[in-house]
Structures are given as structure tokens and as C-alpha cells.
Amino acid sequence: EPLSEKLADLEAEMNDFTVQLDVFKRFKSHLANMSLKSMEALANDFLEDFGSDIFLELNAEKKLANGKTKEKIDAALVRNGVDIGSFNKRSGGEKAAINLAFAKTLSHLINLNAGENRGFNLLVVDEILDATDQEGLQKIVRAFEKSDSSVIMISHIPLPDSVGRHITVCKENDLSRIL
């Protein structure tokens, strides 16, 4: 009887160690998921500022068809709580807003790590808005104007005169000049 009790205690202790081992193995995913949820929230705030009705869901693991999970960053696009498929199926304007929101997110995180009043807070947007319609472009520009970031937009499409300061660069015979 004392041996049976000792065996039960050891089995309970082993079960505790097994649980701790499982938690330790999943700790990396847990930390990644926490970071991804912060990035998701920032990107979704920016998407909302841009007037988008598409939002991101980021996870550090992907559920497989067999019910198991795999450590892998999984991104889903959601509209009205429903998964709307892959990024590649989105319009050019939707892709631009998503890319821009994530760029703003990364810029914001970099500035946070720079220390107070030491971040550069500059975003260079190089031609990713060229597929955006005028209404979407206006929303994005208004969101930039409200933000505390300095933004340099490079575009082959004409921007409205009401948007910031324009510098036009003309390239002729492999020479670029400011008009």
C-alpha cells in the first residue's frame, strides 16, 4: 500500500512535469502570438484610419486539417468577421491599404524601440498606391495628414493638388530633374 501511494504521487508529479514541458514547448508560440496580436491591433487601427473594411487576423500557429497545430505565422483577411481569402485575391487598392497599414505598423514599432523622441517617424511610400482609386487615395492621404508621421509618397499617378507639397521629377534621356 505505501508503494502504491508513492507510485501515485510519482505519476502525479510526472504528469505535472509533462504539462510543464508542453507549456515550455508552446511558450515560443505564445510569445510570438502576443507580439503578432499587438501588430494585428496596430495594423487594424491603421486600416480603419484608411477607411478599409478589411482587417487582419494574425496567429503564430496554423490549424491543420487533422486537428493538430503547426508553428507558422498565419495571416487571414477578414471582412465583417468572415475570412475573405488570400491577399492575392484582393484588388490593387485593397492590397495597397493592407501593405501600407503593415508598413505603418512596422514603422511605429521601430520608433517605439528607438526611445522617447528619438524615432525617425518617416514613411516612404514608393508606388504602392498606384492601383488605388481616387476615393481610396483620398482616404489614405487624409489618414496620413492626421498622423504624426512624415510621409514621402512616390507615385506615377497624379495626386490631388490638395495633398501636401508636390515635387515633380521628370526623367528624360536617363537624367532626372525636378520640375
Side-chain angles (χ1 to χ4, degrees):
E1 193 171 298
L3 288 175
S4 294
E5 288 176 12
K6 183 70 173 169
L7 180 61
D9 289 343
L10 288 172
E11 286 173 343
E13 189 176 347
M14 179 146 170
N15 187 43
D16 288 344
F17 286 137
T18 302
V19 168
Q20 288 176 14
L21 180 62
D22 185 50
V23 168
F24 181 75
K25 286 180 180 177
R26 297 184 50 79
F27 186 65
K28 182 173 74 172
S29 290
H30 172 71
L31 289 177
N33 224 12
M34 286 176 46
S35 297
L36 287 174
K37 290 301 174 190
S38 294
M39 293 172 72
E40 174 188 291
L42 283 169
N44 286 335
D45 285 346
F46 292 131
L47 282 167
E48 189 173 359
D49 289 346
F50 298 155
S52 178
D53 64 346
I54 295 176
F55 297 97
L56 294 169
E57 284 186 0
L58 301 174
N59 291 297
E61 55 189 30
K62 181 177 177 101
K63 292 204 185 245
L64 303 175
N66 63 9
K68 294 183 179 183
T69 58
K70 177 181 179 182
E71 286 186 4
K72 177 184 176 190
I73 295 176
D74 186 43
L77 298 175
V78 176
R79 180 181 281 134
N80 298 323
V82 177
D83 188 324
I84 59 170
S86 78
F87 175 81
N88 292 330
K89 294 180 182 176
R90 307 286 42 100
S91 71
E94 290 171 330
K95 288 179 183 177
I98 293 164
N99 281 331
L100 198 51
F102 220 77
K104 287 262 310 154
T105 297
L106 294 176
S107 175
H108 179 77
L109 293 173
I110 289 167
N111 284 322
L112 284 177
N113 285 326
E116 193 164 333
N117 298 321
R118 293 183 57 194
F120 198 50
N121 217 9
L122 172 69
L123 186 63
V124 178
V125 180
D126 188 1
E127 298 181 30
I128 67 168
L129 298 176
D130 288 355
T132 307
D133 63 19
Q134 283 299 312
E135 181 183 344
L137 187 60
Q138 287 286 351
K139 288 178 182 178
I140 288 170
V141 168
R142 277 194 295 273
F144 280 146
E145 289 171 345
K146 291 178 190 173
S147 78
D148 59 350
S149 296
S150 297
V151 180
I152 297 174
M153 291 177 63
I154 300 165
S155 177
H156 288 283
I157 61 171
L159 297 173
D161 289 335
S162 62
V163 175
R165 292 180 226 136
H166 292 250
I167 298 173
T168 304
V169 177
C170 180
K171 186 173 183 178
E172 295 171 347
N173 301 325
D174 291 333
L175 274 172
S176 295
R177 61 186 173 89
I178 296 174
L179 299 179

